[in-house]
């Protein structure tokens, strides 16, 4: 949730420091933020929170920093209200999306039914149409003469000195 405008308020008093400057010190870490970042950053990974937590602990210990993880207690009333309002907005958006999806499906079915009843050309086209892959490449031009295609592009006509030389081939023997 955070405090709105907090960084603007304390920005002038803060300064950036390096991890090396914290060597030998005890460092408090907000565990809920750390775990939330881990879960959102690695959604498809099992036990992502443990993996990220382990890596962060290792990094802090590498710099000889002693981490202390702070876990929040129960959410305050204001935060509970904010969480409830967010959940309500999500549910309303999901209902609206489902409603729009249902309307689009009904319209598509109606259009197909009308076109089919009228026997229009568009109904025949839509019946024959297949869903092509968005990234389907166009067919290559038919060229049976490989040498003709190569000479057009000059693709293989590279000077010998432009090739990588590893030292295993005697250039005099190749020429």
């Amino acid at each position: 949730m955070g405090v709105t405008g907090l960084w603007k308020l304390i920005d002038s008093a803060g300064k950036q420091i390096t991890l090396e400057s914290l060597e030998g010190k005890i460092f408090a870490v907000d565990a809920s933020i750390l775990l939330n970042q881990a879960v959102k950053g690695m959604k498809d990974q099992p036990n992502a929170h443990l993996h990220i937590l382990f890596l962060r602990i290792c990094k802090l210990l590498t710099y000889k920093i002693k981490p202390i993880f702070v876990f929040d207690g129960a959410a305050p009333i204001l935060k509970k209200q904010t969480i409830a309002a967010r959940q309500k907005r999500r549910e309303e958006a999901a209902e609206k999306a489902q409603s729009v999806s249902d309307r689009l499906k009904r319209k598509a079915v109606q259009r197909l039914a009308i076109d089919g009843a009228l026997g229009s050309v568009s109904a025949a086209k839509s019946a024959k149409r297949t869903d092509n892959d968005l990234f389907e490449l166009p067919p290559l031009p038919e060229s049976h003469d490989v040498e003709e295609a190569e000479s057009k592009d000059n693709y293989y006509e590279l000077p010998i000195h432009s090739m990588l030389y590893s030292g295993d081939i005697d250039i005099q023997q190749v020429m």
Side-chain angles (χ1 to χ4, degrees), residues 20-162:
E20 291 88 3
S21 67
L22 296 174
E23 184 175 326
K25 296 191 177 175
I26 299 172
F27 192 73
V29 179
D30 186 348
S32 61
I33 291 175
L34 180 69
L35 295 174
N36 190 23
Q37 288 173 347
V39 170
K40 290 189 181 216
M42 298 177 69
K43 289 181 181 179
D44 298 334
Q45 300 294 324
N47 299 325
H49 57 293
L50 297 175
H51 181 75
I52 296 295
L53 185 63
F54 176 73
L55 292 176
R56 298 267 173 102
I57 290 172
C58 287
K59 183 170 186 173
L60 292 173
L61 292 175
T62 300
Y63 288 102
K64 297 180 180 143
I65 299 170
K66 298 174 185 170
I68 295 178
F69 293 94
V70 180
F71 292 87
D72 293 340
I77 294 172
L78 181 61
K79 188 169 184 176
K80 286 181 182 179
Q81 293 170 350
T82 303
I83 292 170
R86 287 178 188 163
Q87 183 64 29
K88 184 178 178 185
R89 282 195 307 264
R90 277 191 212 108
E91 290 170 0
E92 289 171 353
E95 289 173 8
K96 187 175 179 180
Q98 185 62 43
S99 171
V100 169
S101 175
D102 292 343
R103 278 190 283 145
L104 287 172
K105 289 175 186 175
R106 281 196 304 273
K107 290 288 184 186
V109 169
Q110 287 175 351
R111 180 170 298 182
L112 284 174
I114 291 171
D115 287 348
L118 296 175
S120 68
V121 176
S122 64
K125 285 183 181 177
S126 65
K128 291 180 184 178
R129 187 182 72 203
T130 60
D131 291 334
N132 291 335
D133 185 8
L134 177 65
F135 300 105
E136 184 177 337
L137 296 174
L140 293 173
E142 303 247 352
S143 176
H144 299 291
D145 189 6
V146 177
E147 290 178 8
E148 179 185 329
E150 289 177 353
S151 67
K152 284 181 184 175
D153 295 336
N154 292 331
Y155 183 74
Y156 295 103
E157 295 179 15
L158 295 174
I160 192 79
H161 58 80
S162 68

Side-chain angles (χ1 to χ4, degrees), residues 169-175:
I169 302 171
D170 185 8
I171 295 180
Q172 297 301 325
Q173 290 178 352
V174 173
M175 298 177 98

